[in-house]
């Protein structure tokens, strides 16, 4: 049997990497080094290191619960991490809301925050990273009508906080977005909200790290099928030019989210995005259309 120094790392999967990412963040918040935390678990440091890197070959919910106790992780987050541990071996993953992982434990936020490049297609709503506060507020009022005003504003603040990924001055992520023209015509809130939202899109499209194109109605159905909204996330490369993490396709659903890691699936969605991009308007005509429709809303 191989010892710890010669053991081949377990195959990395999205649930393993997300579990490791969360545990690393909570350990850091607790002010513990890997060696200190491992000692409390009566582990070698390499065991905890493999867990944090998403390569642990054996993950027990008992151990995850104990680590969370050591780090002072809230109960609801602990339940989410325990759910991730139970799905650690899954490669392509349909995450049903409330199934093993609590519904309020957001898997995607941590994934998005680590991305260096995002290729997005949206056919129904403005992409979350480009929504204004009023647009977000309207959507959440409809989706969660029982929320208090404080909870609603917390949701809005969380969405706006996510947007620092592309708006920050130091190493902002690259965003390549194709938005269907129907998004411009679908009223969320009122005319004032829509006008402000479309101007916001046009302004963001001038940033060096953001490419925004509108797929007009006249383009028809370039792929011959409907893909639905999706995002391809890439996580940059290390010093040797190798990907830090494998790319992932994310597709949001009404009762759960789909995460795809297989190379063939990622390649297919990447080609789909490129096709939609080719049939969309160029960046400047897209901004012109956004500003024109914004004026129509307040005319």
């Amino acid at each position: 049997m191989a010892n710890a120094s010669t053991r081949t790392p377990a195959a990395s999967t999205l649930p393993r990497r997300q579990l490791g990412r969360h545990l690393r963040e909570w350990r850091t918040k607790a002010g513990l080094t890997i060696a200190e935390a491992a000692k409390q678990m009566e582990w070698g440091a390499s065991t905890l290191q493999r867990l944090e890197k998403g390569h642990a070959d054996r993950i027990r919910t008992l151990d995850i619960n104990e680590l969370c106790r050591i780090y002072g992780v809230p109960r609801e987050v602990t339940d989410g991490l325990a759910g991730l541990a139970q799905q650690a071996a899954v490669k392509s993953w349909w995450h049903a809301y409330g199934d093993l992982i609590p519904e309020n434990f957001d898997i995607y936020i941590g994934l998005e925050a680590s991305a260096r490049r995002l290729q997005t297609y949206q056919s129904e709503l403005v992409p979350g990273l480009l929504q204004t506060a009023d647009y977000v507020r309207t959507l959440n009022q409809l989706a969660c009508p029982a929320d208090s005003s404080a909870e609603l504003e917390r949701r809005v603040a969380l969405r706006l906080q996510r947007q620092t990924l592309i708006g920050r001055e130091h190493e902002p992520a690259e965003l390549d977005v194709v938005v269907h023209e129907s998004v411009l015509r679908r009223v969320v809130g009122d005319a004032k909200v829509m006008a402000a939202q479309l101007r916001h899109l046009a302004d963001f499209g001038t940033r060096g790290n953001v490419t925004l194109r509108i797929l007009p109605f006249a383009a028809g159905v370039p792929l011959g099928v409907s893909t639905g909204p999706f995002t391809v996330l890439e996580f940059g490369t290390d010093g040797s030019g190798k990907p830090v993490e494998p790319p992932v396709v994310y597709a949001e659903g009404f009762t759960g989210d789909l995460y795809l890691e297989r190379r063939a699936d990622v390649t297919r969605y990447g080609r789909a995005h490129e096709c939609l991009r080719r049939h969309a308007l160029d960046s400047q005509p897209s901004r012109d259309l956004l500003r024109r429709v914004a004026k129509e809303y307040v005319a």
Side-chain angles (χ1 to χ4, degrees):
M1 181 173 163
N3 60 33
S5 61
T6 61
R7 184 184 297 140
T8 300
S12 175
T13 65
L14 176 61
R16 277 193 177 109
R17 293 194 301 276
Q18 286 300 92
L19 175 61
R21 181 178 286 118
H22 281 288
L23 289 174
R24 183 171 60 250
E25 289 175 354
W26 281 101
R27 175 179 59 76
T28 301
K29 287 180 182 179
L32 295 171
T33 66
I34 284 183
E36 290 168 341
K39 184 177 180 180
Q40 293 196 46
M41 291 294 293
E42 298 184 358
W43 289 352
S46 61
T47 299
L48 181 53
Q49 192 170 46
R50 284 196 303 274
L51 179 60
E52 291 189 0
K53 288 185 176 181
H55 289 293
D57 50 7
R58 185 180 181 219
I59 301 176
R60 303 191 309 170
T61 54
L62 182 69
D63 294 332
I64 300 306
N65 281 316
E66 181 60 14
L67 278 172
C68 288
R69 185 194 66 77
I70 292 169
Y71 299 162
V73 180
R75 184 71 253 172
E76 63 273 15
V77 178
T78 297
D79 291 342
L81 297 183
L84 280 174
Q86 293 177 63
Q87 303 195 50
V90 177
K91 193 70 175 174
S92 288
W93 182 30
W94 170 255
H95 167 220
Y97 298 149
D99 182 13
L100 292 181
I101 297 173
E103 188 169 346
N104 62 354
F105 185 86
D106 199 314
I107 301 295
Y108 180 71
I109 288 180
L111 190 68
E112 181 186 74
S114 301
R116 299 296 302 123
R117 184 168 184 260
L118 303 95
Q119 294 174 286
T120 295
Y121 172 61
Q122 251 298 352
S123 55
E124 297 186 24
L125 298 170
V126 170
L129 289 175
L130 297 174
Q131 292 174 0
T132 64
D134 285 336
Y135 194 95
V136 176
R137 188 173 291 108
T138 300
L139 291 176
N140 278 283
Q141 284 172 332
L142 295 169
C144 308
D147 276 1
S148 65
S149 296
E151 178 62 18
L152 174 63
E153 292 308 312
R154 188 193 70 81
R155 291 180 185 275
V156 173
L158 179 61
R159 175 58 57 87
L160 297 182
Q161 182 181 1
R162 286 169 55 188
Q163 297 179 4
T164 59
L165 177 71
I166 56 172
R168 64 194 178 202
E169 290 186 12
H170 181 63
E171 294 186 347
E174 295 180 21
L175 185 62
D176 190 340
V177 182
V178 177
V179 175
H180 197 278
E181 186 179 352
S182 59
V183 175
L184 283 55
R185 308 291 179 176
R186 181 175 288 111
V187 179
V188 173
D190 55 25
K192 184 179 179 181
V193 170
M194 287 302 299
Q197 176 63 79
L198 298 189
R199 288 195 297 267
H200 180 75
L201 282 177
D203 292 343
F204 246 89
T206 64
R207 290 174 176 253
N209 62 314
V210 177
T211 301
L212 176 64
R213 288 178 169 83
I214 305 301
L215 183 68
F217 287 117
V221 186
L223 293 165
V225 295
S226 174
T227 65
F230 66 87
T231 298
V232 181
L233 301 101
E234 299 175 2
F235 303 93
T237 56
D238 59 21
S240 62
K242 295 180 180 179
V244 173
E245 294 183 23
V248 174
V249 174
Y250 167 75
E252 184 177 8
F254 185 59
T255 59
D257 299 330
L258 182 63
Y259 297 90
L260 300 172
E261 290 187 84
R262 284 197 320 153
R263 183 174 298 179
D265 294 331
V266 175
T267 298
R268 185 168 185 178
Y269 272 93
R271 289 173 177 167
H273 188 273
E274 178 57 32
C275 177
L276 295 167
R277 198 175 188 267
R278 286 198 311 270
H279 286 82
L281 301 173
D282 287 339
S283 296
Q284 186 59 57
S286 294
R287 290 195 292 271
D288 292 342
L289 176 59
L290 285 164
R291 292 190 171 109
R292 185 165 66 249
V293 177
K295 289 180 181 177
E296 292 174 5
Y297 273 114
V298 292

